[in-house]
Amino acid sequence: MATKFGRRWAEQAGLDITVVQHHHAHIAACLGDNNWPLQGGQVLGVALDGLGLGSADELWGGEFMLADYREYQRLGTFKPVAIPGNSQAMREPWRNTYAHIVAQMGWPAFEMNFSDLELFDFLASKPLNALNAMLTTGTNAPLVSSCGRLFDAVAAALGICRDRTSYEGQAAIQLEAVVDQNCLNNESDGLAYPFTVPRLDGNGIPYIEPLAMWSALLGDLVLKTPTGVMSARFHKGLAKAIVHLIRLLSTRDGERYVNHVALTGGVFQNKTLLEQVIQRLEKEKFVVLTHSGVPANDGGLSFGQALVAAAQEIQRRSAT
């Protein structure tokens, strides 16, 4: 909607317009927040949020980009999963849980293996025929490569924030709030929920696939594992997956070719995830750029947009 408004307003006012992709703007804002020079070269930017307009009218929300102020190249992402009800799924986290379960294992397999769970009874009480029609046709259920919606889905599965949110990011905030710190700091990484990194359509860009994570999480629900332990295992597992994909994308012909990583987007307001990712990256000798004076979420977006537009204008003028 903001993009449509901006285009219409510029046309009516007779103004030129510079189009800046949402997640590129997040990365540029992080670079500017760190006084990254215009000629500083490219970084590997990791922009994780609820959603933002991607290319070709796709919806993105978990993006790994090789970027500077002027341009970007999308190198990796999260698995695209539908959000049934579109904006309604942002307010009702359980919709994301259902969409993930259908996308990962299918409802029949979920019913066969996990029908004893309270989560199954809860989801079965919902208007699933209407949701299935959306998911089957894609009507009012766009695919989104969103890390934020994954947090919503996990929070609802754990019963932390399920029916309806009253403010943006509530499900993710409450999921972080229940993290068992002893588990987070002392439990073996081997018990962190696993993710895999295949490629889209077999030969496209690599993406973070949560199927194994869901199997482990649902197994922990069967075992009545404490919610705080499950939240810690999710945060650790996700951090491991993010760092694994960064390691993969920063390597070419067996050698690392980019050493600076910029962490941005609203998901990185999650202190637990941010610290887990930073610790693991610094252990592998990456230089990590984060936010301090400019918000990581959309509050810093216009700053990043202005930086990209300015850098592109400088490049145009220097070329003439």
Side-chain angles (χ1 to χ4, degrees), residues 84-136:
N86 206 334
S87 60
Q88 195 73 8
M90 303 175 203
R91 295 186 290 269
E92 297 179 352
W94 66 267
R95 290 174 178 263
N96 299 287
T97 309
Y98 182 72
H100 266 268
I101 287 172
V102 170
Q104 304 306 334
M105 62 185 67
W107 183 258
F110 177 65
E111 182 176 14
M112 180 184 302
N113 293 289
F114 301 105
S115 59
D116 291 338
L117 290 179
E118 179 271 338
L119 174 62
F120 173 81
D121 292 334
F122 174 86
L123 292 175
S125 71
K126 296 298 182 181
L128 299 188
N129 287 338
L131 266 69
N132 289 335
M134 294 180 195
L135 295 174
T136 300

Coordinates of all heavy atoms in Angstrom, one line a residue, residues 84-136:
P84 N -2.6 -17.4 5.4 CA -4.0 -17.4 5.1 C -4.8 -16.3 5.7 O -4.7 -16.1 6.9 CB -4.4 -18.8 5.6 CG -3.4 -19.2 6.6 CD -2.1 -18.5 6.2
G85 N -5.5 -15.6 4.9 CA -6.2 -14.4 5.4 C -5.4 -13.1 5.2 O -5.8 -12.0 5.6
N86 N -4.1 -13.2 4.7 CA -3.3 -12.1 4.4 C -3.1 -11.3 5.7 O -2.4 -11.8 6.6 CB -3.9 -11.2 3.3 CG -2.8 -10.4 2.6 OD1 -1.7 -10.2 3.1 ND2 -3.1 -10.1 1.3
S87 N -3.5 -10.1 5.8 CA -3.3 -9.3 7.0 C -3.9 -9.9 8.2 O -3.4 -9.6 9.4 CB -3.8 -7.8 6.8 OG -5.2 -7.9 6.5
Q88 N -4.9 -10.7 8.1 CA -5.5 -11.3 9.2 C -4.6 -12.3 9.9 O -4.6 -12.4 11.1 CB -6.8 -12.1 8.8 CG -7.7 -12.5 9.9 CD -8.5 -11.4 10.5 OE1 -8.5 -10.3 10.0 NE2 -9.1 -11.6 11.7
A89 N -3.7 -12.9 9.1 CA -2.7 -13.8 9.7 C -1.6 -13.1 10.5 O -1.0 -13.7 11.3 CB -2.0 -14.5 8.5
M90 N -1.5 -11.8 10.3 CA -0.6 -11.0 11.1 C -1.2 -10.7 12.5 O -0.5 -10.4 13.5 CB -0.2 -9.7 10.4 CG 0.4 -9.9 9.1 SD 0.6 -8.3 8.2 CE 0.7 -8.8 6.5
R91 N -2.5 -10.8 12.6 CA -3.2 -10.5 13.9 C -3.6 -11.8 14.6 O -3.9 -11.7 15.8 CB -4.4 -9.6 13.6 CG -4.1 -8.2 13.1 CD -5.4 -7.4 13.0 NE -6.3 -7.8 11.9 CZ -6.2 -7.4 10.7 NH1 -5.3 -6.5 10.3 NH2 -7.1 -7.8 9.8
E92 N -3.7 -12.9 13.9 CA -4.1 -14.2 14.5 C -3.0 -15.2 14.3 O -2.9 -15.9 13.2 CB -5.4 -14.6 13.9 CG -6.5 -13.7 14.1 CD -7.9 -14.1 13.5 OE1 -7.9 -15.1 12.8 OE2 -8.9 -13.5 13.8
P93 N -2.0 -15.3 15.2 CA -0.8 -16.2 15.0 C -1.2 -17.6 14.7 O -0.4 -18.3 13.9 CB -0.1 -16.0 16.3 CG -0.5 -14.7 16.9 CD -1.9 -14.5 16.4
W94 N -2.3 -18.2 15.2 CA -2.6 -19.6 14.9 C -2.7 -19.8 13.4 O -2.4 -21.0 13.0 CB -3.9 -20.0 15.6 CG -5.1 -19.3 15.1 CD1 -5.7 -18.1 15.6 CD2 -5.9 -19.7 14.0 NE1 -6.8 -17.8 14.8 CE2 -7.0 -18.7 13.9 CE3 -5.9 -20.8 13.1 CZ2 -8.0 -18.8 12.9 CZ3 -6.9 -20.9 12.1 CH2 -7.9 -19.9 12.0
R95 N -3.1 -18.9 12.6 CA -3.2 -19.1 11.2 C -1.8 -19.4 10.6 O -1.7 -20.2 9.6 CB -3.7 -17.8 10.5 CG -5.2 -17.5 10.8 CD -5.6 -16.2 10.2 NE -7.0 -15.9 10.4 CZ -8.0 -16.1 9.5 NH1 -7.7 -16.6 8.3 NH2 -9.2 -15.8 9.8
N96 N -0.8 -18.8 11.1 CA 0.6 -19.1 10.6 C 1.0 -20.5 11.1 O 1.7 -21.2 10.3 CB 1.6 -18.1 11.2 CG 1.2 -16.7 10.7 OD1 1.4 -16.4 9.6 ND2 0.7 -15.9 11.6
T97 N 0.6 -21.0 12.3 CA 0.9 -22.3 12.7 C 0.3 -23.3 11.8 O 0.9 -24.3 11.3 CB 0.4 -22.5 14.1 OG1 0.8 -21.5 15.0 CG2 0.8 -23.9 14.7
Y98 N -1.0 -23.1 11.4 CA -1.7 -24.0 10.5 C -1.0 -24.1 9.2 O -0.8 -25.1 8.6 CB -3.2 -23.6 10.4 CG -3.9 -24.6 9.5 CD1 -4.2 -25.9 10.0 CD2 -4.3 -24.2 8.2 CE1 -4.9 -26.8 9.1 CE2 -5.0 -25.1 7.4 CZ -5.3 -26.3 7.9 OH -6.0 -27.2 7.1
A99 N -0.7 -22.9 8.6 CA -0.1 -22.8 7.3 C 1.2 -23.5 7.3 O 1.6 -24.2 6.3 CB 0.1 -21.4 6.9
H100 N 2.0 -23.4 8.4 CA 3.3 -24.1 8.4 C 3.1 -25.6 8.5 O 3.9 -26.3 7.9 CB 4.1 -23.5 9.6 CG 5.1 -22.4 9.3 ND1 6.4 -22.6 8.9 CD2 4.9 -21.1 9.2 CE1 6.9 -21.5 8.6 NE2 6.0 -20.5 8.8
I101 N 2.2 -26.0 9.3 CA 2.0 -27.5 9.5 C 1.6 -28.1 8.1 O 2.0 -29.1 7.7 CB 1.0 -27.7 10.6 CG1 1.6 -27.5 11.9 CG2 0.4 -29.2 10.5 CD1 0.6 -27.5 13.1
V102 N 0.7 -27.4 7.4 CA 0.2 -27.9 6.1 C 1.4 -27.8 5.1 O 1.5 -28.8 4.3 CB -1.0 -27.0 5.6 CG1 -1.3 -27.3 4.2 CG2 -2.2 -27.2 6.5
A103 N 2.2 -26.8 5.1 CA 3.3 -26.7 4.2 C 4.4 -27.7 4.5 O 5.0 -28.2 3.6 CB 3.9 -25.3 4.2
Q104 N 4.6 -28.0 5.8 CA 5.7 -28.9 6.1 C 5.4 -30.3 6.1 O 6.1 -31.1 5.5 CB 6.2 -28.5 7.6 CG 6.6 -27.1 7.8 CD 7.6 -26.6 6.8 OE1 8.4 -27.3 6.2 NE2 7.6 -25.3 6.5
M105 N 4.3 -30.7 6.7 CA 4.0 -32.2 6.7 C 2.6 -32.6 6.2 O 2.3 -33.7 6.0 CB 4.1 -32.7 8.2 CG 3.2 -32.1 9.2 SD 3.5 -32.6 10.9 CE 5.1 -31.8 11.1
G106 N 1.7 -31.6 6.1 CA 0.4 -31.8 5.6 C -0.5 -32.2 6.8 O -0.1 -32.8 7.8
W107 N -1.8 -31.7 6.8 CA -2.7 -32.0 7.9 C -2.9 -33.5 8.2 O -3.0 -33.9 9.3 CB -4.0 -31.3 7.6 CG -5.0 -31.4 8.7 CD1 -6.1 -32.3 8.8 CD2 -5.0 -30.7 10.0 NE1 -6.7 -32.1 10.0 CE2 -6.1 -31.1 10.8 CE3 -4.1 -29.7 10.5 CZ2 -6.4 -30.6 12.0 CZ3 -4.4 -29.2 11.8 CH2 -5.5 -29.7 12.5
P108 N -3.1 -34.4 7.2 CA -3.3 -35.8 7.5 C -2.1 -36.4 8.3 O -2.4 -37.1 9.2 CB -3.4 -36.4 6.1 CG -3.9 -35.3 5.2 CD -3.2 -34.1 5.7
A109 N -0.9 -36.1 8.0 CA 0.2 -36.6 8.7 C 0.2 -36.0 10.1 O 0.6 -36.7 11.1 CB 1.5 -36.3 8.0
F110 N -0.1 -34.7 10.2 CA -0.2 -34.1 11.6 C -1.2 -34.8 12.4 O -1.0 -35.1 13.6 CB -0.5 -32.6 11.4 CG -0.6 -31.8 12.7 CD1 0.4 -31.7 13.6 CD2 -1.9 -31.3 13.0 CE1 0.3 -31.0 14.8 CE2 -2.0 -30.6 14.2 CZ -1.0 -30.4 15.1
E111 N -2.4 -35.0 11.8 CA -3.5 -35.7 12.5 C -3.1 -37.1 13.0 O -3.4 -37.5 14.1 CB -4.7 -35.7 11.7 CG -5.9 -36.3 12.4 CD -7.2 -36.3 11.6 OE1 -7.1 -35.9 10.4 OE2 -8.3 -36.5 12.1
M112 N -2.4 -37.8 12.1 CA -2.0 -39.2 12.3 C -1.0 -39.3 13.5 O -1.1 -40.2 14.4 CB -1.4 -39.8 11.1 CG -1.0 -41.3 11.3 SD -0.1 -41.9 9.8 CE -1.4 -41.7 8.6
N113 N -0.1 -38.3 13.6 CA 1.0 -38.4 14.5 C 0.8 -37.6 15.8 O 1.4 -37.9 16.8 CB 2.3 -38.0 13.9 CG 2.7 -39.0 12.8 OD1 3.1 -40.1 13.1 ND2 2.6 -38.6 11.5
F114 N -0.1 -36.5 15.7 CA -0.1 -35.6 16.8 C -1.6 -35.3 17.2 O -1.8 -34.2 17.8 CB 0.6 -34.3 16.5 CG 2.1 -34.6 16.1 CD1 2.5 -34.5 14.8 CD2 3.0 -34.8 17.1 CE1 3.9 -34.7 14.5 CE2 4.3 -35.0 16.8 CZ 4.8 -35.0 15.5
S115 N -2.5 -36.2 17.0 CA -3.9 -35.9 17.3 C -4.2 -35.8 18.8 O -5.2 -35.3 19.2 CB -4.8 -36.9 16.7 OG -4.5 -38.2 17.1
D116 N -3.2 -36.3 19.6 CA -3.4 -36.3 21.1 C -3.0 -34.9 21.6 O -3.3 -34.6 22.8 CB -2.6 -37.3 21.8 CG -3.1 -38.8 21.5 OD1 -4.3 -38.9 21.2 OD2 -2.3 -39.7 21.6
L117 N -2.4 -34.1 20.9 CA -2.0 -32.8 21.3 C -3.2 -31.8 21.5 O -4.1 -31.8 20.7 CB -0.9 -32.1 20.4 CG 0.4 -32.8 20.3 CD1 1.3 -32.0 19.3 CD2 1.1 -32.8 21.7
E118 N -3.1 -31.0 22.5 CA -4.1 -29.9 22.6 C -4.0 -29.0 21.4 O -5.1 -28.4 21.0 CB -3.8 -29.1 23.9 CG -4.7 -27.9 24.2 CD -4.2 -26.6 23.6 OE1 -3.0 -26.5 23.3 OE2 -5.1 -25.7 23.4
L119 N -2.9 -28.8 20.8 CA -2.7 -27.9 19.6 C -3.6 -28.5 18.5 O -4.2 -27.7 17.8 CB -1.3 -27.9 19.2 CG -1.0 -27.2 17.9 CD1 -1.4 -25.7 18.0 CD2 0.5 -27.3 17.5
F120 N -3.6 -29.8 18.3 CA -4.5 -30.4 17.3 C -6.0 -30.0 17.5 O -6.6 -29.6 16.6 CB -4.3 -31.9 17.2 CG -5.3 -32.6 16.3 CD1 -5.0 -32.6 14.9 CD2 -6.5 -33.1 16.8 CE1 -5.9 -33.2 14.0 CE2 -7.4 -33.7 15.9 CZ -7.1 -33.7 14.5
D121 N -6.4 -30.2 18.7 CA -7.8 -29.9 19.0 C -8.1 -28.4 18.8 O -9.2 -28.1 18.3 CB -8.1 -30.2 20.5 CG -8.1 -31.7 20.8 OD1 -8.3 -32.5 19.8 OD2 -7.8 -32.1 21.9
F122 N -7.2 -27.6 19.2 CA -7.4 -26.1 18.9 C -7.5 -25.8 17.5 O -8.5 -25.1 17.0 CB -6.2 -25.3 19.5 CG -6.3 -23.9 19.3 CD1 -7.0 -23.0 20.1 CD2 -5.6 -23.3 18.2 CE1 -7.1 -21.7 19.8 CE2 -5.7 -22.0 17.9 CZ -6.4 -21.1 18.7
L123 N -6.6 -26.3 16.7 CA -6.6 -26.0 15.2 C -7.8 -26.7 14.6 O -8.4 -26.0 13.7 CB -5.3 -26.5 14.6 CG -4.0 -25.7 15.0 CD1 -2.8 -26.4 14.3 CD2 -4.1 -24.3 14.6
A124 N -8.2 -27.9 15.0 CA -9.3 -28.6 14.4 C -10.6 -27.8 14.6 O -11.6 -28.0 13.9 CB -9.4 -30.0 14.9
S125 N -10.7 -27.0 15.7 CA -11.9 -26.2 16.0 C -12.0 -25.0 15.1 O -13.1 -24.3 15.1 CB -11.9 -25.8 17.4 OG -10.9 -24.8 17.7
K126 N -11.0 -24.7 14.3 CA -11.1 -23.5 13.4 C -11.7 -23.8 12.1 O -11.9 -24.9 11.7 CB -9.6 -23.0 13.2 CG -9.0 -22.5 14.5 CD -9.7 -21.3 15.1 CE -9.0 -20.8 16.4 NZ -9.8 -19.7 17.0
P127 N -12.1 -22.7 11.3 CA -12.8 -23.0 10.0 C -11.7 -23.4 9.0 O -11.4 -22.6 8.1 CB -13.4 -21.6 9.7 CG -12.5 -20.6 10.4 CD -12.0 -21.3 11.7
L128 N -11.3 -24.6 9.1 CA -10.2 -25.1 8.2 C -10.6 -25.2 6.8 O -9.8 -25.1 5.9 CB -9.7 -26.5 8.7 CG -9.1 -26.4 10.2 CD1 -8.5 -27.8 10.5 CD2 -8.1 -25.3 10.4
N129 N -11.9 -25.5 6.5 CA -12.3 -25.5 5.1 C -12.1 -24.2 4.4 O -11.6 -24.2 3.2 CB -13.8 -25.9 5.0 CG -14.1 -27.4 5.3 OD1 -13.1 -28.2 5.3 ND2 -15.3 -27.7 5.7
A130 N -12.3 -23.1 5.0 CA -12.1 -21.8 4.4 C -10.6 -21.6 4.3 O -10.2 -21.1 3.2 CB -12.7 -20.7 5.3
L131 N -9.8 -22.0 5.3 CA -8.4 -21.8 5.1 C -7.8 -22.7 4.1 O -6.9 -22.2 3.3 CB -7.7 -22.1 6.5 CG -7.4 -20.9 7.4 CD1 -8.8 -20.3 7.9 CD2 -6.5 -21.2 8.6
N132 N -8.3 -23.9 3.9 CA -7.8 -24.8 2.9 C -8.1 -24.3 1.5 O -7.3 -24.4 0.6 CB -8.4 -26.2 3.1 CG -7.8 -26.9 4.3 OD1 -6.7 -26.6 4.8 ND2 -8.6 -27.8 4.9
A133 N -9.3 -23.6 1.4 CA -9.6 -23.1 0.1 C -8.6 -21.9 -0.3 O -8.2 -21.8 -1.4 CB -11.0 -22.5 0.1
M134 N -8.3 -21.1 0.7 CA -7.3 -20.1 0.5 C -6.0 -20.7 0.1 O -5.3 -20.2 -0.9 CB -7.1 -19.2 1.8 CG -8.3 -18.4 2.2 SD -7.9 -17.5 3.7 CE -9.6 -17.0 4.2
L135 N -5.5 -21.7 0.8 CA -4.2 -22.2 0.6 C -4.1 -23.0 -0.8 O -3.1 -22.9 -1.4 CB -3.8 -23.2 1.7 CG -3.7 -22.6 3.1 CD1 -3.5 -23.7 4.2 CD2 -2.5 -21.6 3.1
T136 N -5.3 -23.6 -1.1 CA -5.3 -24.3 -2.4 C -5.3 -23.4 -3.6 O -4.5 -23.6 -4.6 CB -6.5 -25.2 -2.5 OG1 -6.5 -26.2 -1.4 CG2 -6.6 -26.0 -3.8

